[in-house]
Amino acid sequence: MTDLPPLPAENDPLPAPVRNAAALQFLATRRSTKVIHLTGPGPDRAELEQLLRLAMRVPDHGKIGPWRFIVVAGAARHRIGALMGDALAAANPATDDTARALEAQRWLRAPVTVVLVSAPLVPHKIPVWEQELSAGALAQNLLSLVHAAGYGACWLTGWSTYDAGAASVLGLAPGERVAGFINIGTATEAPTERVRPDMDARISWLD
Ligand SMILES: Cc1cc2nc3c(=O)[nH]c(=O)nc-3n(C[C@H](O)[C@H](O)[C@H](O)COP(=O)(O)O)c2cc1C
């Protein structure tokens, strides 16, 4: 894919905010795609690389980039899935062959899984909380970009988000944490709108 916008260079003049009806409509109707509704193809390496670079254009207090991506695609899905099955068994001795195979299978559902890693700088004058918030913004930005590029995606977590053995399979450094597994592929069906939290209760005006 070559139709993705190029990344601006530092100090390039950028457009001032203008009303963008298409962007508003896009955000009003974007939804995640359930992983069971993802299939191939996903973005190829060149396209995904560009999407990840665009996704990194997020608010980031201190401009420190306290996050990184690990892309699991192709044959690596089998390798990581098998190792995650082993990690699950190590974490929980009650894991039987079925559970282990199920865990391996989880890595094969989507053609691409982007592991979003929160990598806060510690100690640092920017609080860890703010660095982690930037990782959350990165995840949402990636979901939107992937959708805009014509793919479905969903942000998942699970036991392996919180397991030291799983972190070691992914090669995380001490202090790094999985912020999410962003599963990406072609959506096999269009979504419907979901239940939303009570929005009235979540907006206060002090005016
Ligand atoms: C940090 C985080 C972790 C999540 N983990 C899971 C998960 O493990 N399993 C799941 O079904 N949904 C999980 N979700 C929810 C889905 O990603 C998503 O919020 C839901 O499907 C609806 O999203 P949408 O409003 O973008 O359509 C998680 C969401 C967040 C923010």
Side-chain angles (χ1 to χ4, degrees):
M1 272 281 184
T2 54
D3 66 342
L4 292 173
L7 278 168
E10 189 175 357
N11 294 326
D12 274 357
L14 298 172
V18 288
R19 193 171 183 86
N20 183 330
L24 291 170
Q25 181 63 20
F26 172 82
L27 290 171
T29 55
R30 184 212 60 83
R31 280 227 45 211
S32 296
T33 302
K34 288 192 169 81
V35 73
I36 51 166
H37 296 151
L38 290 177
T39 188
D44 63 18
R45 186 174 178 135
E47 186 178 19
L48 184 57
E49 175 97 19
Q50 181 70 349
L51 288 168
L52 296 177
R53 287 171 187 273
L54 290 168
M56 284 189 269
R57 300 184 66 263
V58 279
D60 159 18
H61 194 178
K63 306 182 189 70
I64 53 181
W67 21 250
R68 66 187 181 97
F69 298 116
I70 301 169
V71 179
V72 181
R77 297 177 306 145
H78 295 269
R79 198 167 66 244
I80 295 295
L83 291 170
M84 285 295 186
D86 294 345
L88 179 64
N92 179 2
T95 302
D96 59 14
D97 286 351
T98 308
R100 195 192 278 251
L102 209 62
E103 179 56 32
Q105 173 60 27
R106 283 163 54 84
W107 290 84
L108 302 178
R109 294 177 299 182
V112 183
T113 298
V114 174
V115 184
L116 171 51
V117 179
S118 169
L121 274 61
V122 182
H124 196 276
K125 66 179 178 183
I126 306 299
V128 168
W129 165 238
E130 297 187 22
Q131 299 187 46
E132 291 173 340
L133 288 173
S134 182
L138 183 57
Q140 180 58 41
N141 214 27
L142 181 59
L143 288 180
S144 296
L145 278 157
V146 162
H147 195 108
Y151 300 99
C154 63
W155 179 356
L156 301 182
T157 45
W159 72 273
S160 53
T161 308
Y162 307 101
D163 182 77
S168 154
V169 168
L170 295 169
L172 301 197
E176 291 189 329
R177 299 177 74 183
V178 170
F181 301 106
I182 312 291
N183 291 257
I184 301 171
T186 296
T188 56
E189 57 183 72
T192 55
E193 179 56 344
R194 68 172 169 90
V195 65
R196 299 284 167 183
D198 176 354
M199 297 185 185
D200 289 342
R202 287 171 170 76
I203 301 175
S204 308
W205 289 85
L206 304 177
D207 57 0

